[in-house]
Amino acid sequence: MSTEKKYGNYILIAFAMLLFGTAIATIQFKVPVVMGDIMVNMNMDAGSASWLMSIFTFVGIVLAVPTGALAKKFGPKTMLLAAAVIIAAGSLLGAFAGNGMILIVSRAIEGVAFIFVTICGPLAVQKYVAPDKIGSATGIWALWVCLGSVVGGVLTPTLYSATGFVGVWVIYAAAAVVFAIVVAVIVKDPGKALEEATEAAVEEKVSYTELVKPNILLFFFAFLVFNLTLMAVLNFGPTFLQQQGVDPTLSGFISTLPMLLAVISSPLFGTLSDKLGRCKPLYLAALFVMGPCTFLLLTQTGPLLWVGAIVMGLVGLGGPVMCLTSYINVLGRPELMSIGMGVLMLVQSLGQFLGSWLTPILLGPDMTAWMTTGIVMCVIGFIGTAALALCKFK
């Protein structure tokens, strides 16, 4: 039996997965731009309607760790294809929901698929792409949420006007299924027979206790800080700008500009890490700018605001790629990757939750303490950078 693994074209694999991931993320972000109509049609108040988006974060916190264990048992490709089935079921339930509660339940089901893809996408890159191309492939794959948010925000209003509520839900689900078929065809196991024989001969047990090590905990904390600062900008940047008299459309564009610029920084950082053979310097640079950029985006309205948005997009948003690419090196054992990815995504969900929870507390009841909030976020960003600097990895 040949021991050589024959990897497929990393660009083809990465783009097939990117298309599928973007379809899944588009389903997550289809709601905000038509929220008003949904509230009227489903007779939902603002509190219950907010669950149509926040349920995704909640599902992530609850299911991140179990999903990592499932990925280890069934493999990342199987889990990605299962996500397509789940997203189709959730979307069809939502399309014909008779009330707001059923719609929220359908969104929770869609959230299960979203967390499957969040965890198993990076695992698939690690497994099906040649080791010297993992950074480049991850740089392409990591764009799925950014592109999904843009597609969902831009396409949904037009599609909603043309096809109605049911049309949006069914068409997006159909797109996810089609791209899942593309993944099934293109993403191949490079050495399935050998891998199965090896796993049968040596069944290594892994434990979550192996993740409770100072080096790994430092890495987790740094990623939590990244997500905390990013979520503070995405959720509250528009509010700050609108309080200063900035047009709502412009405020939304400025706050999401870093996500758009990730189309440049994500593949660039991934390619650079492959060429350098190192991730830590790039990750440190990305995390270092997150604090100051968050400060600028929550306190400034002039040229410094645009500097903050551009630097966060071109440098800061290279962070997730470096985190995913370097994670296996931090863990030390490839066998830990599946359960480790579940825990990492739990950390991501917690960071996003803390960014949404802590910022209003800092702003105060009248939502005016922007300078204080910006300074605290900047300090938190520097603390996260220090933690990453102490973490040992390449």
Side-chain angles (χ1 to χ4, degrees):
M1 183 185 299
S2 172
T3 60
E4 183 180 355
K5 290 189 175 184
K6 297 181 180 180
Y7 292 97
N9 184 294
Y10 79 94
I11 295 179
L12 197 59
I13 292 172
F15 271 102
M17 292 177 53
L18 175 61
L19 289 172
F20 175 58
T22 299
I24 297 293
T26 299
I27 288 172
Q28 179 189 11
F29 291 102
K30 66 189 175 185
V31 165
V33 288
V34 292
M35 181 78 82
D37 283 339
I38 291 175
M39 291 173 65
V40 172
N41 294 336
M42 295 291 178
N43 195 27
M44 302 175 72
D45 58 25
S48 59
S50 67
W51 275 100
L52 294 175
M53 285 302 292
S54 59
I55 193 69
F56 276 78
T57 303
F58 180 77
V59 169
I61 292 173
V62 174
L63 293 184
V65 172
T67 299
L70 288 172
K72 177 173 175 55
K73 181 175 182 179
F74 296 108
K77 182 177 177 180
T78 300
M79 294 291 287
L80 290 174
L81 298 181
V85 176
I86 293 170
I87 205 86
S91 294
L92 287 175
L93 176 64
F96 301 102
N99 56 62
M101 182 55 66
I102 295 177
L103 187 59
I104 291 172
V105 171
S106 77
R107 294 287 286 169
I109 295 172
E110 292 174 350
V112 173
F114 185 84
I115 196 64
F116 276 20
V117 175
T118 301
I119 291 172
C120 297
L123 292 175
V125 172
Q126 294 281 345
K127 183 172 183 178
Y128 305 124
V129 172
D132 62 337
K133 298 297 183 183
I134 286 176
S136 300
T138 303
I140 296 171
W141 156 252
L143 294 171
W144 68 288
V145 174
C146 299
L147 293 179
S149 65
V150 173
V151 173
V154 173
L155 180 60
T156 300
T158 301
L159 196 59
Y160 189 88
S161 298
T163 67
F165 175 87
V166 174
V168 170
W169 261 242
V170 173
I171 290 170
Y172 283 164
V177 171
V178 168
F179 289 128
I181 294 172
V182 174
V183 169
V185 172
I186 290 178
V187 178
K188 302 291 186 181
D189 195 321
K192 189 172 183 180
L194 171 65
E195 194 168 59
E196 287 179 348
T198 303
E199 288 179 357
V202 183
E203 180 64 28
E204 292 207 44
K205 293 188 178 297
V206 295
S207 170
Y208 286 101
T209 58
E210 295 185 61
L211 302 177
V212 187
K213 296 178 180 178
N215 202 54
I216 297 176
L217 293 177
L218 286 170
F219 191 84
F220 286 160
F221 179 74
F223 192 51
L224 182 144
V225 166
F226 173 87
N227 283 281
L228 188 156
T229 52
L230 179 62
M231 196 55 56
V233 169
L234 293 178
N235 282 355
F236 298 96
T239 303
F240 164 71
L241 292 173
Q242 289 171 35
Q243 284 186 7
Q244 313 310 309
V246 177
D247 176 75
T249 301
L250 180 59
S251 70
F253 172 75
I254 295 172
S255 298
T256 56
L257 180 59
M259 300 290 280
L260 295 175
L261 292 176
V263 174
I264 299 173
S265 60
S266 186
L268 177 61
F269 271 55
T271 301
L272 284 174
S273 70
D274 281 341
K275 292 186 179 299
L276 295 173
R278 295 175 61 82
C279 294
K280 187 172 183 178
L282 296 168
Y283 195 4
L284 276 172
L287 192 55
F288 178 78
V289 305
M290 287 300 292
C293 288
T294 301
F295 171 80
L296 294 177
L297 285 161
L298 295 180
T299 62
Q300 304 296 310
T301 57
L304 287 177
L305 170 69
W306 291 96
V307 170
I310 292 170
V311 173
M312 179 179 281
L314 294 180
V315 182
L317 268 293
V321 183
M322 294 300 91
C323 175
L324 295 172
T325 305
S326 61
Y327 190 36
I328 192 170
N329 181 255
V330 175
L331 292 176
R333 288 210 299 144
E335 297 84 3
L336 291 171
M337 194 62 180
S338 292
I339 65 169
M341 189 58 68
V343 176
L344 185 67
M345 292 306 107
L346 172 62
V347 170
Q348 174 179 287
S349 296
L350 288 173
Q352 292 174 353
F353 171 78
L354 288 174
S356 301
W357 172 78
L358 178 61
T359 307
I361 294 176
L362 294 172
L363 288 172
D366 53 356
M367 298 282 285
T368 57
W370 293 104
M371 184 60 66
T372 299
T373 302
I375 292 172
V376 172
M377 288 295 171
C378 187
V379 171
I380 290 174
F382 285 143
I383 294 173
T385 305
L388 187 66
L390 293 173
C391 183
K392 296 177 182 178
F393 66 101
K394 288 198 303 178

